[in-house]
Amino acid sequence: MRAGERVRATIMLAGALLLLGSAATPPGAVAPPAAADWPYYHGDPAATHYSALDQITTRNVAGLVKVWEYDSGDAFGEGGSQSDMQANPLVVDGRLYIVTPKGRLVALNAATGRELWAYDPAPAPVATRQRLRGVSYWRDRDERRVLFTFGQELISVDALTGRPDARFGRGGRVDLRAGFGRPFAQLTVNNVTPGAVFEDLIIMGSTGHTPGDVRAFDVRTGAIRWTFHTIPHGGEAGAETWPRDAWKTEIGANVWAGLTVDVARGLVFLPVASSGMGDRDFYGPTRAGANLYANSLVALDARTGRRRWHFQSVHHDLWDRDFPAQPTLVTVRGVPAIVQTTKSGWSTSSTAAMAARSTRSRSDPCPPATCPASRRGRRSRCRPRSHRSRASGSRPTSSPGGRRRRMPR
């Protein structure tokens, strides 16, 4: 499929599904709020990918017809330089919000596909791939904002008018390189996955040539409200698993797949990637140790950034075996749990609050390094095991390390 065809197909499908899944709307009118909007990346804060709309079923899906088509006109290039479109559209109050291959933010009438407004954040023509997976939406009474990233900036735009929020950062923008304690020239921050909105915060990971700090920004002002260091600073828990002052030079341990929020408990879950970026994914001499909190599922207090618990799936990763997707909140036999997929094909699960650690996992020894310059972690968490809950005496359905069968030797 050519670049232009992919762009049109993506928006066309959204239009067909949304219109058939909602009540009939007069031509030209903005669709009324559906039974279930799609106001978050992947549907809701829990990342369930679920919609309550029920008019489209397995019985009638084959009969879907194109209702409208919107071509952003932003497709460009061929082959390796071809434009890219991975955005998951949001739908709120009958309006669809999406970013185009050139990073423009567009609002459409979800019923008709008519463009309501478009905002172009680029200071110059865009000729390189902008991989953007979506946007974030925040509302409080009469205030509505769409927040998204472009280049190394977090941008806030009025959801009704498409104009930048002048109160946010500088003219509606925040430079994501600020706050790392390193010269800007040494950093690149390119967040491709939208942040998680919780109350008056937007919580963002940090991806690029940068430490993977997770930060919460005030949605009204753009100020950083809290920071969690995925490569711990001196004196912080986990710093002993890295060389001294590694936070000043190392990169990676970032959250690129997206964050999940347990709104009821005020928790945000971070699927932290491997330590290192690019060629450093497979090179460990500069980061001897287990490298917390890389390759970890971390639960933080969403209001303060304080760590509540973590589970590290791989110590000192040399194979880029980080978590490839945001975790999903589920309920198993009445117990709230968080489920995380892995690149090895296993899914791990943990009780969401972790108030009672009903199961445990085991770290097994891994073969010693043969390269003198490379120092692996001495143990690898690869065969988790479970035990009966002391609280209930029953076999648990979720665990910090996941209930997985023994991996074949």
Side-chain angles (χ1 to χ4, degrees):
M1 184 180 291
R2 295 174 65 86
E5 294 173 340
R6 180 167 62 246
V7 174
R8 288 193 295 271
T10 302
I11 308 300
M12 179 181 67
L13 177 61
L17 294 178
L18 287 166
L19 185 61
L20 293 180
S22 58
T25 305
V30 174
D37 283 343
W38 197 264
Y40 296 90
Y41 181 63
H42 291 161
D44 54 36
T48 62
H49 302 240
Y50 175 78
S51 172
L53 299 178
D54 59 6
Q55 288 189 9
I56 299 175
T57 69
T58 55
R59 294 183 178 182
N60 63 25
V61 66
L64 286 179
V65 297
K66 180 173 72 173
V67 176
W68 56 258
E69 177 177 338
Y70 173 82
D71 185 357
S72 70
D74 282 359
F76 63 89
E78 297 290 342
S81 61
Q82 185 176 1
S83 57
D84 187 294
M85 191 165 186
Q86 298 184 3
N88 180 239
L90 299 190
V91 180
V92 184
D93 295 339
R95 292 177 173 85
L96 183 149
Y97 302 96
I98 196 166
V99 283
T100 74
K102 291 186 177 181
R104 292 190 306 124
L105 175 64
V106 177
L108 305 177
N109 182 316
T112 67
R114 179 174 62 89
E115 184 178 295
L116 302 175
W117 54 257
Y119 172 72
D120 189 351
V126 174
T128 57
R129 178 177 295 178
Q130 307 294 313
R131 178 164 292 170
L132 302 169
R133 297 192 174 110
V135 301
S136 304
Y137 187 90
W138 171 83
R139 73 190 306 172
D140 181 31
R141 299 179 183 177
D142 295 333
E143 294 183 274
R144 293 170 176 81
R145 300 289 182 269
V146 179
L147 299 104
F148 70 111
T149 58
F150 181 81
Q152 301 188 126
E153 294 180 312
L154 174 63
I155 303 171
S156 177
V157 172
D158 188 296
L160 299 181
T161 67
R163 299 189 185 95
D165 180 3
R167 300 177 302 170
F168 185 85
R170 294 185 177 181
R173 300 175 179 233
V174 169
D175 193 322
L176 292 172
R177 294 173 297 177
F180 287 99
R182 298 187 188 183
F184 280 15
Q186 297 179 8
L187 297 170
T188 59
V189 185
N190 305 108
N191 286 42
V192 297
T193 304
V197 171
F198 175 75
E199 296 180 351
D200 61 347
L201 302 173
I202 179 167
I203 306 170
M204 308 282 297
S206 303
T207 297
H209 191 87
T210 177
D213 290 1
V214 175
R215 299 175 292 176
F217 297 86
D218 188 305
V219 294
R220 291 186 173 88
T221 67
I224 298 175
R225 294 264 289 271
W226 57 255
T227 300
F228 176 77
H229 300 128
T230 58
I231 301 177
H233 289 197
E236 295 178 348
E240 70 282 0
T241 67
W242 294 80
R244 183 175 181 179
D245 291 336
W247 66 273
K248 296 179 179 180
T249 56
E250 291 299 312
I251 61 174
N254 59 313
V255 180
W256 60 267
L259 304 97
T260 300
V261 177
D262 185 336
V263 176
R265 294 170 182 79
L267 298 175
V268 59
F269 298 94
L270 324 176
V272 185
S274 55
S275 45
M277 287 286 292
D279 57 353
R280 295 198 194 184
D281 279 335
F282 308 97
Y283 184 76
T286 63
R287 50 180 174 88
N291 303 147
L292 282 174
Y293 294 90
N295 298 87
S296 298
L297 181 60
V298 182
L300 304 180
D301 185 311
R303 296 182 179 90
T304 66
R306 184 175 64 87
R307 180 174 56 89
R308 297 284 290 272
W309 59 264
H310 75 274
F311 169 73
Q312 188 177 37
S313 62
V314 179
H315 304 316
H316 192 72
D317 187 7
L318 297 177
W319 302 280
D320 193 28
R321 291 298 183 185
D322 52 354
F323 296 130
Q326 66 184 127
T328 300
L329 279 170
V330 298
T331 300
V332 181
R333 300 179 186 175
V335 178
I338 186 83
V339 176
Q340 177 68 64
T341 58
T342 69
K343 288 182 178 178
S344 59
W346 300 94
S347 292
T348 67
S349 61
S350 306
T351 53
M354 292 295 290
R357 294 179 177 269
S358 58
T359 58
R360 65 173 179 259
S361 61
R362 183 178 77 209
S363 294
D364 283 354
C366 61
T370 57
C371 173
S374 181
R375 300 176 183 176
R376 303 183 194 178
R378 290 182 299 172
R379 306 184 74 81
S380 176
R381 196 185 301 272
C382 58
R383 293 189 181 91
R385 61 186 179 184
S386 61
H387 65 89
R388 294 185 179 274
S389 168
R390 295 180 180 177
S392 64
S394 61
R395 179 66 66 181
T397 58
S398 58
S399 74
R403 287 194 60 205
R404 302 184 292 184
R405 296 186 180 90
R406 283 183 176 271
M407 297 176 65
R409 294 184 180 275

